[in-house]
Amino acid sequence: MCTLTFIFWGSVYNLSAQNDISKENKYKVSLKGGASISGTIFNSNDSTQVMSPFGYNISVAPTLQIRKLSLPFNFTYSDNKYNISYPYFRLGIAPSYKWIKGYLGNNTINFSKYVFAGLNSFGGGIDLNPSIFTLGFFYGRLRQRVFVDSTNAKYHLIKPQFSSYGFAVKAGIKAKSVRIVFTYFSGQDKVNSLPYINSNFNIHNKKNKAIGSEIYIKLTPHISFLSNAGLSILTRSAGAGSLDTLLLNSGEEPLPSWTKIIENKPNVSSSISYAFDNSLRYNSKAVDVALIQKVIRPGYESMGLGYVNNDVKQYTVEPALRLLKNKINASFSFGIQSNNLLKKKITTTKNTIISANANFNDQKKLLLSISYTNFGLNMNSVPRFQDDSISIQNINQTFSFNGIYFIVKGKKESKSVNLNVSAQSSQEVYTYNAFYNKKFKSVYSNLSYSINKQNKSSFVGGLNYNLSTNFFYQFPDQLFEISSIGIFSTVTKSFLEDGVWLNSISVNLNSSSVDHDKKHLAFGAGFNSSYRLTKKTAASLNFNFTSTKIKNIRLNQQYASIGVTQTF
C-alpha cells in the first residue's frame, strides 16, 4: 500500500535590484544575475528511503559592475541529506578590475592542466595580467573532509577523506603568439580534520609538491604548437619512515637527488611521476589537423586535480572538415593507446582508438548527427543521496544517432519526425566504488512525432526501447539488467494570451523486465507548471510519480518540487 504524504512548501523571496541603472549614471553601475529558492518532497512505499523526505536549495549569483570593476558573487546552499551526507554549501566571489582578478570563497581556478585545475576550492587568491605578464596565487581548502559514521549501515559505500589545504603560484608571459607559464603547487591533508578513522579503510594523510608548465607558440598564421606538462612528488603517508625514498613501481631505484629541491622531506611512501601532452595544429577555413602526443606515467597524481587516468601513452591524429557552406561538419580522431609504461604488469594493453562526429544540416528540413568513440572516461557522483560517492567509468564504446525530419517548418508551426539512438559499454575503474571492475552497458532509443505551435502548445509522442545495466537504490550492492519497451507522450499548453502560464503533462507506459524475469508493467507520470509573476520573476511546480517492480516488489515513488527564480 502506497501512502502519499503531500506537503506544500514554498517561500517567495524576490530579490529585487536595478537591472540596468541608467547609462547616464556617471558611475556606470549595473547589477545582473539571478537567484532561486526551491523545496523538494519525496515519498515512497519502500522502507529504504533514497532521498530525504524534505529538502531545499538556495542559489544566488549576482554580478555587480562598476565601470571596469566586475564583482561576480555566487552563493549556494543545498540540504537534501541522507544519513552520511551533509548539507551542501558554497559561497564565493571573483571580483575583477582591468587586469586584476581576485578570488574569495568557493571558486574553480585553473593554473596548470596537470598540477592545479578543475577543483572547486575554498580560499583566497589573485590573478594579475598586466600587459603580457601573468602572475597568480591561491591558498585555501582543496577538499572538504568526508566523515563516515561506522554505525551507519551504508558506511562501506563511501570512502572517508581528510580535508586538504594547499597553495599554488603561477608566473609567466601571455602574448598572442607566445605563452610560457610555470606553476608551483603544494598541498597536504589535515590529520585532525577527522575525529577518528574507520578501520575498514586504509587511508593516510598525504602531502604533495608539483610543478607545471604551459608553452604555446604560434609558428605561422595557420600553425601552432602547444605543450602542457606536470611533475609531481606525492607522499602517500606523511608519517612514514624518513628513509631513502623509492620511485613507485620503478624497480627500487632511489629518487634523483635533485628532487629534494622540490620535496626536502621525502620518505619511503614518496614517489615521483610526470605527465605531458604536446600538440601541433594546422587551422584553416575548411580544414583543421592536429597531431597529439600524451603520456601520463603510472602513479601520477596531484592533490590540486581531480581524478587522473594515469599509466597511459597515446598518439592521435585529429582532422576536421567543414564542407558545403557548413552544411556538413565532421571531426575525427585516430590513434594508438597503450598502458604498462613501466613494464611491471603481467600484460600490456594496446588499443587502436577511434572517434568520429559528423553533422548534416540542409538548412531546410533535415538534421542528422552521428558519433562514435571507443575510448574516454565518464565521471559521476552516485547515487544522488551520497554526495561524495564517485563513479569513474572507462568507456569502451559509445555510439549515438539523432535525426530530425521537418514535415512542416514555419515560423508559427512545425511538425517533425525524430529518431534518437544511443548505446554505450563501459567498466567501473574507481577502486572505492561498490561496483569496481564491473561492466555496464546501455541502449536508449525512441521514435517520436512532434508538433510545436509557437507560444501556444506542443505535443511529443512515440515509442521507446531501453536496455541497461544499473542498480536500484533499494539494492545498492547489486547490478541488474533492465529492459523496457513502451510508449511516451508529453503535452505542453500555455494559458492566458500573453503566455505567462505554462503547463506540461508527461506520461510513459512500458513493459519492463529485470534480469530477464517475467515482464511487468512499469509506468510514470509527471506534471510541470510555471507561472511568470513578473517579467523577471517566475514560479514553478513539478510533480512526478513512478511505479515499477523489482524482485516481485512493487515500488511506488512520488517526487514534488516548488520554487521561485528571479533574474535582475
Side-chain angles (χ1 to χ4, degrees):
M1 177 68 69
C2 171
T3 303
L4 172 62
T5 304
F6 179 75
I7 304 174
F8 182 85
W9 183 91
S11 177
V12 178
Y13 180 61
N14 292 335
L15 298 177
S16 59
Q18 196 72 19
N19 181 29
D20 264 325
I21 297 178
S22 174
K23 294 182 179 180
E24 297 179 1
N25 187 323
K26 64 179 181 179
Y27 297 107
K28 295 183 179 179
V29 177
S30 67
L31 180 63
K32 299 179 180 179
S36 67
I37 182 169
S38 63
T40 61
I41 305 159
F42 177 82
N43 187 66
S44 174
N45 67 329
D46 183 61
S47 59
T48 305
Q49 289 279 352
V50 302
M51 289 178 59
S52 170
F54 168 77
Y56 60 91
N57 177 277
I58 302 171
S59 178
V60 184
T63 297
L64 178 63
Q65 189 78 30
I66 306 175
R67 289 183 175 272
K68 294 184 179 181
L69 174 64
S70 177
L71 297 170
F73 177 85
N74 67 82
F75 169 86
T76 301
Y77 182 86
S78 179
D79 185 1
N80 193 2
K81 56 186 178 179
Y82 180 77
N83 293 334
I84 44 184
S85 300
Y86 41 77
Y88 173 87
F89 175 82
R90 280 183 180 173
L91 173 65
I93 184 171
S96 62
Y97 179 74
K98 294 184 177 180
W99 45 267
I100 303 172
K101 186 174 184 178
Y103 302 98
L104 184 63
N106 281 103
N107 287 283
T108 299
I109 304 170
N110 298 305
F111 279 2
S112 177
K113 181 177 180 179
Y114 290 111
V115 170
F116 184 62
L119 286 181
N120 190 288
S121 308
F122 182 84
I126 192 168
D127 202 345
L128 307 175
N129 294 278
S131 184
I132 64 170
F133 301 101
T134 181
L135 178 66
F137 174 81
F138 174 83
Y139 173 80
R141 186 184 65 206
L142 307 172
R143 288 176 175 83
Q144 190 171 347
R145 74 166 191 169
V146 177
F147 175 63
V148 183
D149 187 349
S150 61
T151 63
N152 191 292
K154 294 182 179 354
Y155 73 91
H156 60 287
L157 295 179
I158 293 182
K159 177 189 174 183
Q161 70 179 22
F162 298 108
S163 61
S164 57
Y165 287 78
F167 70 89
V169 180
K170 73 165 183 176
I173 59 173
K174 285 186 176 182
K176 288 184 178 180
S177 58
V178 177
R179 186 165 66 246
I180 303 175
V181 181
F182 294 97
T183 300
Y184 174 79
F185 168 81
S186 176
Q188 184 165 359
D189 287 336
K190 296 294 184 182
V191 182
N192 58 2
S193 60
L194 293 179
Y196 66 88
I197 303 172
N198 192 297
S199 60
N200 289 280
F201 299 100
N202 184 27
I203 65 170
H204 302 280
N205 59 313
K206 298 186 295 185
K207 64 177 182 177
N208 178 223
K209 304 288 178 61
I211 297 175
S213 67
E214 179 187 4
I215 300 174
Y216 169 82
I217 302 174
K218 192 171 185 178
L219 302 172
T220 74
H222 298 287
I223 300 175
S224 62
F225 172 79
L226 175 64
S227 176
N228 288 283
L231 176 72
S232 176
I233 299 178
L234 179 69
T235 301
R236 286 174 166 77
S237 178
S242 298
L243 303 175
D244 270 347
T245 185
L246 303 178
L247 182 62
L248 184 68
N249 296 326
S250 66
E252 300 185 353
E253 296 178 6
L255 285 175
S257 58
W258 58 263
T259 58
K260 288 191 176 182
I261 300 174
I262 304 172
E263 175 54 80
N264 60 356
K265 293 182 179 180
N267 61 38
V268 292
S269 71
S270 300
S271 63
I272 182 173
S273 192
Y274 61 85
F276 67 87
D277 62 63
N278 299 314
S279 64
L280 184 65
R281 297 179 181 273
Y282 170 81
N283 300 97
S284 68
K285 186 176 181 180
V287 178
D288 300 334
V289 180
L291 304 177
I292 300 174
Q293 174 197 30
K294 181 169 75 171
V295 176
I296 304 179
R297 298 283 286 182
Y300 185 83
E301 182 180 341
S302 171
M303 294 177 67
L305 301 175
Y307 176 81
V308 178
N309 186 28
N310 54 41
D311 193 13
V312 61
K313 180 167 60 176
Q314 183 176 305
Y315 299 92
T316 55
V317 179
E318 299 184 354
L321 304 170
R322 292 171 290 277
L323 306 172
L324 301 177
K325 297 181 179 180
N326 286 329
K327 288 183 179 180
I328 298 177
N329 290 272
S331 60
F332 307 90
S333 180
F334 308 100
I336 56 174
Q337 178 179 290
S338 61
N339 64 358
N340 196 16
L341 273 60
L342 295 177
K343 308 299 181 184
K344 296 297 180 181
K345 297 179 180 178
I346 297 175
T347 60
T348 298
T349 302
K350 294 183 178 180
N351 298 318
T352 300
I353 57 178
I354 301 172
S355 176
N357 297 274
N359 299 279
F360 173 77
N361 182 356
D362 69 354
Q363 299 175 358
K364 293 180 180 179
K365 289 192 172 185
L366 185 62
L367 296 172
L368 299 174
S369 66
I370 187 170
S371 67
Y372 171 82
T373 184
N374 66 351
F375 69 99
L377 282 177
N378 186 21
M379 299 182 64
N380 292 295
S381 177
V382 293
R384 180 176 179 177
F385 59 90
Q386 295 171 356
D387 299 324
D388 300 284
S389 190
I390 302 298
S391 171
I392 303 173
Q393 294 185 11
N394 190 33
I395 297 173
N396 299 320
Q397 292 189 82
T398 297
F399 168 82
S400 68
F401 172 84
N402 300 283
I404 302 175
Y405 178 76
F406 287 94
I407 302 171
V408 176
K409 188 178 181 181
K411 293 183 178 180
K412 294 185 178 181
E413 183 182 49
S414 64
K415 298 179 181 180
S416 63
V417 177
N418 313 284
L419 175 62
N420 301 285
V421 180
S422 64
Q424 179 175 287
S425 62
S426 61
Q427 186 172 6
E428 180 63 50
V429 295
Y430 187 60
T431 306
Y432 295 96
N433 188 280
F435 305 118
Y436 172 67
N437 221 26
K438 297 293 185 180
K439 294 183 178 179
F440 291 76
K441 63 180 179 181
S442 63
V443 177
Y444 300 102
S445 59
N446 65 72
L447 176 64
S448 63
Y449 174 75
S450 66
I451 303 174
N452 186 8
K453 295 184 178 181
Q454 191 176 18
N455 298 326
K456 290 185 179 180
S457 63
S458 66
F459 166 82
V460 178
L463 307 173
N464 65 263
Y465 170 76
N466 302 316
L467 175 67
S468 66
T469 304
N470 215 325
F471 65 92
F472 290 98
Y473 294 129
Q474 288 75 14
F475 305 96
D477 297 322
Q478 301 179 50
L479 286 178
F480 300 90
E481 184 173 290
I482 308 163
S483 64
S484 64
I485 184 170
I487 59 175
F488 68 94
S489 178
T490 300
V491 178
T492 302
K493 174 68 175 176
S494 61
F495 295 90
L496 304 181
E497 293 183 359
D498 56 1
V500 296
W501 187 289
L502 183 68
N503 291 310
S504 70
I505 298 174
S506 59
V507 178
N508 64 80
L509 185 64
N510 291 278
S511 175
S512 179
S513 68
V514 177
D515 283 345
H516 307 285
D517 63 0
K518 183 179 179 181
K519 291 187 177 296
H520 63 271
L521 185 65
F523 56 92
F527 171 78
N528 300 289
S529 180
S530 63
Y531 181 72
R532 195 160 62 240
L533 301 169
T534 68
K535 289 183 178 181
K536 297 180 180 180
T537 308
S540 62
L541 174 65
N542 306 289
F543 175 78
N544 290 279
F545 171 81
T546 60
S547 178
T548 189
K549 183 181 281 189
I550 313 171
K551 292 185 176 182
N552 296 318
I553 301 173
R554 173 62 66 176
L555 298 176
N556 301 314
Q557 297 178 348
Q558 305 86 34
Y559 176 84
S561 67
I562 186 171
V564 175
T565 60
Q566 171 78 42
T567 58
F568 45 85

